[in-house]
Amino acid sequence: MSIPVFEAALSQCPLIAILRGIEPDEALAAGQALYEAGFRLIEVPLNSPSPLDSIRLLRDGLPTDCVVGAGTVMSAQACTDVAAAGGQIVVMPHSDPEVIRAARSAGMACCPGVATPTEAFAALAAGANVLKMFPAEQLGVPVLKAWRAVMPGTIRLVPVGGITPQNMAPFVAAGASGFGLGSALYKPGKSAADIGRDARAFIQAYAQARGA
């Protein structure tokens, strides 16, 4: 994948939809609801049922300006598998440099999970495109604010974990570049209509937090 496609998606809507637990036969309808609401980044965690099938269905069924990939990626081999399924981004709960390099070598963007400045800078050195602050509910707004005091403004910090439309604003004020959205946006069995409704609520809350 051309990294500019990922950058364009992130610029248009820096909210990553996390479809943990989704079944392949539900994936495209969920993806279409998210896209119509304005999302342009979707991940299917690899601990979901048949995740590579869902990734392929999403990639083949959604417009090319929507970036599709995998979450909970734990190994270099998994990066190869995700790329073969049409994945364009790898999201990780950790910051193993081998996995980051494998994702980038396969032509995918990479968003590793980091919980300390040391991990953050090491992940960037390995080729990370975006840093996932995880778990956000444990790190909190004060940590994000402290990181922003010492990190260049060009580094994208994306809190993930426990994010809701109601708690986005303090993170945005502290310097969040976007968010990864899990159970408050999608839970297994949730209808496409409800996904779309909640996706629009997140987009509206993010716009309000940014003063847009």
Side-chain angles (χ1 to χ4, degrees), residues 78-107:
C79 292
T80 301
D81 297 339
V82 170
Q88 301 160 287
I89 181 172
V90 158
V91 182
M92 306 157 55
H94 64 328
S95 56
D96 184 339
E98 180 184 2
V99 180
I100 297 171
R101 287 192 290 266
R104 296 305 312 276
S105 295

Side-chain angles (χ1 to χ4, degrees), residues 23-109:
E23 299 275 357
D25 62 359
E26 301 170 317
L28 185 54
Q32 289 170 334
L34 288 163
Y35 186 87
E36 290 168 6
F39 275 68
R40 294 297 181 266
L41 293 154
I42 300 174
E43 69 160 275
V44 178
L46 292 185
N47 56 1
S48 304
S50 304
L52 298 177
D53 292 341
S54 292
I55 290 169
R56 172 52 68 188
L57 288 164
L58 287 164
R59 178 60 283 145
D60 290 348
L62 293 175
T64 56
D65 64 338
C66 187
V67 172
V68 176
T72 318
V73 179
M74 305 292 285
S75 69
Q77 179 59 50
C79 292
T80 301
D81 297 339
V82 170
Q88 301 160 287
I89 181 172
V90 158
V91 182
M92 306 157 55
H94 64 328
S95 56
D96 184 339
E98 180 184 2
V99 180
I100 297 171
R101 287 192 290 266
R104 296 305 312 276
S105 295
M108 297 182 288

Side-chain angles (χ1 to χ4, degrees), residues 103-150:
R104 296 305 312 276
S105 295
M108 297 182 288
C110 189
C111 181
V114 297
T116 68
T118 298
E119 291 177 352
F121 284 110
L124 290 167
N129 300 93
V130 175
L131 297 177
K132 168 184 170 180
M133 291 189 71
F134 179 77
E137 63 262 63
Q138 177 184 355
L139 294 170
V141 172
V143 169
L144 173 56
K145 191 177 296 185
W147 287 21
R148 275 295 178 214
V150 297

